[in-house]
Amino acid sequence: MNPAIAGWVVLKVLAFVGFCLLWEAVVVTALWSWYVVPLGLPVIGIVHALGLCLLITLVRFDPTRVTLDPLETWQRVAYFVLPAIVLFLGWIFSGWK
C-alpha cells in the first residue's frame, strides 16, 4: 500500500475511534446523571466519563479478538448506533420514577 494512502487510513481510523469514544463519554455522562447522581454520587463530566470508558475498554480488552482486517461497514455503524440506542432507552427509563 502506498505510504501516503496508509497514512490517511490511519488518520481516518484514529478520528473514527476518537469520535466513538467521545460519543460514548457523552452517553455515559447522561446515564450517570440520570441514574447514579440520584443515589448520592457526584456529577461527572465528559473527561471523567471518557476515563471510565477507556478503563472499561482496557479491562475488557481481549487480544485474541484483534484482527488486522479493516472494520466492516456494519461494525462502524454499530459503534455509533449502539450508544445512541442505549442513550434513548436510558432517557425513556429515566422518566419512570
Side-chain angles (χ1 to χ4, degrees), residues 10-77:
V10 168
L11 186 62
K12 286 181 183 182
V13 168
L14 289 177
F16 177 74
V17 168
F19 176 76
C20 287
L21 280 173
L22 188 61
W23 174 234
E24 286 182 15
V26 168
V27 171
V28 167
T29 301
L31 293 173
W32 187 278
S33 296
W34 294 336
Y35 295 109
V36 181
V37 171
L39 299 175
L41 276 91
V43 176
I44 63 170
I46 297 291
V47 174
H48 287 104
L50 183 61
L52 286 173
C53 290
L54 291 173
L55 179 65
I56 291 168
T57 301
L58 178 66
V59 169
R60 293 188 59 196
F61 178 70
D62 182 9
T64 61
R65 293 180 51 202
V66 175
T67 63
L68 297 177
D69 298 332
L71 294 176
E72 294 188 27
T73 303
W74 69 270
Q75 289 174 313
R76 287 186 289 236
V77 171

